[in-house]
Amino acid sequence: MTHAAPVSPVDRAGLRQRVDKALTEFLAGQRARLVAVDEALVPVAEAIEAFVLGGGKRLRPAFAYWGFRGAGGLDGDQVVTALAALEFVQASALIHDDLMDRSDTRRGEPAVHRRFATRHRKAGWGGSPDGFGDAAAILLGDLCLVWSDELLHSAGLDLRSLARARPVFDEMRTEVTVGQYLDVLTQVTGDTSVERASKVARYKSAKYTVERPMLLGAALADAPEDLRTAYSAYGLPLGEAFQLRDDVLGVFGDPTLTGKPAGDDLREGKRTYLVAAAVEATDDAGRELLLGRLGDPELDEHGVARLREVISGSGALARTEQRIATLTDAALAALTTVDLDTEARQALVDLAIAATRRAD
């Protein structure tokens, strides 16, 4: 007897394909608008298409969709299209994040600012190639944020549903933006406290990865307060666990799976929970080495290996893994406090596991 391969939680209800279809159709219309303005905007359309359609886990629309279904919402392509707007929020955040971190790659391809700097060099234009690339990335990230709003509003939802969703969508975009600023601020001030690292993780990633998408779906379905409370109790710890897994992969991940060079977070000087825990627990020599090399763009493979040894030897990696497990357990426990549709509950359990055990 043969058994079918298990369906990814993002693929349930054909969700990934439906989200991709909505994004493809929307971007085709946006390309036509840009070309009507000037043919010079074709590379802009191409870059956003490549970034949005060429990768991404589609986790945020999945959390939102199953939050919607768990609240009794009826499936429909208009809802899926509206929730696909979350992918443009994500694209905006990543394009800007790569620029701020001076990252060379994203998903194994050149980061947007590098892509446009290369275009400048090949064309032999005047001025600074890197300056042009930076400006392009800022503008393309902004454009994605604008388009997130447009896709939400043009999806065909009724005005009452949109009115309920609007405050959640606005709050989410504010939180991720201020979270990005706190991340930048933490790097320059050198704050290595666990408390600061946890706050940055919460606002930069955790809330807009799980909690706000869940509450967006709940708002569209007009969910009662007790369900929204349970969704927050699920979404906040799970979102933090997701970010902690990201932090671990940023130091210990396989570049062939993450699409970024090994140890990139160390070169970028990320003050993550993982790093903060290591600074707190290691000895003086390890602390001196870690703080001395953290944020060094010239950090080579040997240097990365030495910092990994400090982090692992301090117990910080084990402590982070334990926190991921604890947070995930707390999130799953929250689902038991309310009545949910069986399919939605299982989807949310599977999404929690997929988000925290991933290798990419």
Side-chain angles (χ1 to χ4, degrees), residues 80-297:
V80 172
T81 298
L83 299 180
L86 291 165
E87 288 298 300
F88 283 110
V89 179
Q90 166 75 340
S92 174
L94 293 181
I95 290 170
H96 286 161
D97 195 45
D98 286 344
L99 171 60
M100 290 183 286
D101 292 339
R102 310 310 305 177
S103 298
D104 292 326
T105 60
R106 168 69 62 177
R107 300 168 186 157
E109 298 294 329
V112 168
H113 62 286
R114 300 298 189 206
R115 176 179 178 136
F116 279 86
T118 297
R119 180 175 179 79
H120 182 290
R121 289 189 184 93
K122 288 182 176 178
W125 293 331
S128 165
D130 289 339
F132 175 76
D134 292 357
I138 291 170
L139 294 169
L140 266 67
D142 288 351
L143 190 57
C144 284
L145 201 59
V146 171
W147 285 356
S148 72
D149 205 57
E150 184 174 341
L151 183 54
L152 176 67
H153 282 272
S154 64
L157 297 176
D158 64 89
L159 293 179
R160 287 185 178 181
S161 296
L162 279 175
R164 291 193 301 268
R166 178 85 256 174
V168 180
F169 199 68
D170 289 344
E171 188 70 13
M172 175 187 65
R173 294 185 299 168
T174 295
E175 286 170 346
V176 68
T177 303
V178 299
Q180 288 276 28
Y181 175 79
L182 289 177
D183 187 29
V184 173
L185 179 65
T186 299
Q187 290 184 57
V188 298
T189 60
D191 189 337
T192 56
S193 67
V194 169
E195 292 75 18
R196 170 57 67 171
S198 295
K199 176 174 284 189
V200 169
R202 189 177 311 122
Y203 282 93
K204 179 187 173 183
S205 179
K207 291 174 77 67
Y208 100 101
T209 296
V210 187
E211 186 202 19
R212 291 301 176 188
M214 292 284 293
L215 293 178
L216 182 65
L220 290 175
D222 200 12
E225 183 177 356
D226 66 326
L227 186 56
R228 286 183 276 121
T229 299
Y231 278 178
S232 285
Y234 166 86
L236 274 173
L238 184 59
E240 186 174 348
F242 173 90
Q243 181 57 46
L244 292 178
R245 173 60 60 208
D246 210 47
D247 295 342
V248 170
L249 292 174
V251 176
F252 295 94
D254 181 347
T256 63
L257 297 176
T258 65
K260 301 193 78 173
D264 232 22
D265 280 6
L266 299 173
R267 295 186 189 89
E268 293 164 6
K270 295 281 189 180
R271 259 63 178 181
T272 63
Y273 178 94
L274 178 67
V275 168
V279 170
E280 185 179 272
T282 192
D283 57 22
D284 289 343
R287 190 173 298 109
E288 182 179 358
L289 176 61
L290 183 56
L291 294 179
R293 298 305 305 276
L294 189 67
D296 180 0

Side-chain angles (χ1 to χ4, degrees), residues 308-322:
R308 283 173 169 169
E309 289 173 3
V310 171
I311 293 170
S312 297
S314 71
L317 178 58
R319 177 180 174 183
T320 303
E321 291 288 357
Q322 180 57 54

Side-chain angles (χ1 to χ4, degrees), residues 335-358:
L335 295 179
T336 67
T337 64
V338 287
D339 290 329
L340 285 175
D341 169 80
T342 301
E343 184 180 13
R345 184 189 302 277
Q346 188 59 53
L348 291 172
V349 169
D350 292 346
L351 280 168
I353 294 170
T356 56
R357 295 184 185 176
R358 61 199 168 89

